[in-house]
Amino acid sequence: EAQVTQNPRYLITVTGKKLTVTCSQNMNHEYMSWYRQDPGLGLRQIYYSMNVEVTDKGDVPEGYKVSRKEKRNFPLILESPSPNQTSLYFCASKPHSQETQYFGPGTRLLVL
Amino acid sequence: GENVEQHPSTLSVQEGDSAVIKCTYSDSASNYFPWYKQELGKRPQLIIDIRSNVGEKKDQRIAVTLNKTAKHFSLHITETQPEDSAVYFCAASKTNFGNEKLTFGTGTRLTIIP
């Protein structure tokens, strides 16, 4: 089944404890992105990648890192999480520019 | 950077009536405008998109119009049904020269009243 998967789906952590949210797609898509969703703010793009080893900042990259060492995986890294990073995070992928983007199920993160 | 404004933030419509959601964008170079639907507790899903070389696109009960001069685009849903109740997001992107930034509006909560 073609899909985008994220792990974990729910995470409670404490300020400063490094964490990684994994994202994987099995559709051989070139493009992958990370978004955060907050009430009243909609979805905001954190980082995107157009291919292996090609990443760029979205609108809210501060406090996040990403890597794209393989086509199927695009992990989101929070080196030192802070409470303002408490949010719902979505990974997404699409085959090429201006084509349908498929979202993962979301990861709900709470930073205490 | 790009700024996308979306109105209204909430919209209630009688079943069978039409619903219209409007978005404006700031960057005249934006060339791709997708619309996403997000049901409660679910992930966003693309419902329709339009490219800057087209003024209107339809898919059954859903249509999107684009006015590049005024920098606004709208989602039209006709003959609304209860399953249309969801949050709808517009977005704008300038997809060229290796740029894939996608900026979303803040969403419209659409409620269909039976």
Side-chain angles (χ1 to χ4, degrees):
Chain A
E1 179 190 355
Q3 59 183 347
V4 180
T5 57
Q6 295 178 227
N7 283 292
R9 295 289 313 282
Y10 305 92
L11 179 60
I12 301 174
T13 189
V14 295
T15 298
K17 186 176 180 182
K18 180 180 178 180
L19 67 92
T20 299
V21 183
T22 64
C23 173
S24 184
Q25 50 93 6
N26 62 1
M27 297 172 278
N28 200 37
H29 287 172
E30 289 187 2
Y31 293 79
M32 298 185 75
S33 288
W34 275 103
Y35 301 89
R36 61 177 289 174
Q37 185 172 24
D38 302 288
L41 297 177
L43 290 142
R44 292 179 292 169
Q45 191 178 45
I46 302 170
Y47 270 95
Y48 64 89
S49 169
M50 291 183 289
N51 215 321
V52 174
E53 303 291 2
V54 181
T55 63
D56 207 348
K57 297 176 182 178
D59 288 327
V60 289
E62 296 77 19
Y64 304 94
K65 286 174 58 177
V66 293
S67 69
R68 187 95 183 270
K69 295 186 175 126
E70 310 164 275
K71 200 170 188 177
R72 62 183 293 129
N73 296 323
F74 190 44
L76 179 69
I77 303 155
L78 285 71
E79 294 269 4
S80 182
S82 63
N84 65 11
Q85 292 178 299
T86 291
S87 188
L88 176 59
Y89 291 87
F90 286 102
C91 179
S93 74
K94 60 182 180 178
H96 302 291
S97 183
Q98 295 193 4
E99 293 194 18
T100 301
Q101 179 168 229
Y102 297 91
F103 282 80
T107 294
R108 193 167 289 280
L109 173 65
L110 173 60
V111 183
L112 300 173
Chain B
E2 174 70 278
N3 182 47
V4 177
E5 294 192 358
Q6 183 172 346
H7 299 281
S9 56
T10 61
L11 179 62
S12 294
V13 173
Q14 287 289 141
E15 181 178 353
D17 288 351
S18 296
V20 180
I21 301 170
K22 298 182 179 181
C23 289
T24 60
Y25 60 99
S26 61
D27 189 343
S28 57
S30 288
N31 59 359
Y32 177 63
F33 307 91
W35 285 88
Y36 290 87
K37 175 184 180 183
Q38 187 177 28
E39 297 175 355
L40 189 62
K42 301 284 183 68
R43 70 194 78 184
Q45 288 190 300
L46 181 78
I47 55 171
I48 195 166
D49 57 12
I50 191 167
R51 291 163 180 76
S52 59
N53 59 347
V54 175
E56 184 176 1
K57 183 177 178 180
K58 287 183 181 179
D59 183 3
Q60 300 183 340
R61 297 185 297 108
I62 294 173
V64 57
T65 57
L66 172 65
N67 183 326
K68 286 191 295 183
T69 304
K71 290 189 286 187
H72 69 69
F73 55 113
S74 300
L75 178 71
H76 305 253
I77 305 174
T78 59
E79 300 172 10
T80 53
Q81 300 169 3
E83 54 264 36
D84 294 330
S85 292
V87 178
Y88 291 81
F89 293 97
C90 63
S93 182
K94 183 170 63 179
T95 58
N96 51 29
F97 305 108
N99 186 339
E100 284 292 327
K101 273 193 181 179
L102 186 65
T103 301
F104 283 81
T106 51
T108 296
R109 183 174 300 279
L110 175 63
T111 302
I112 307 301
I113 305 165

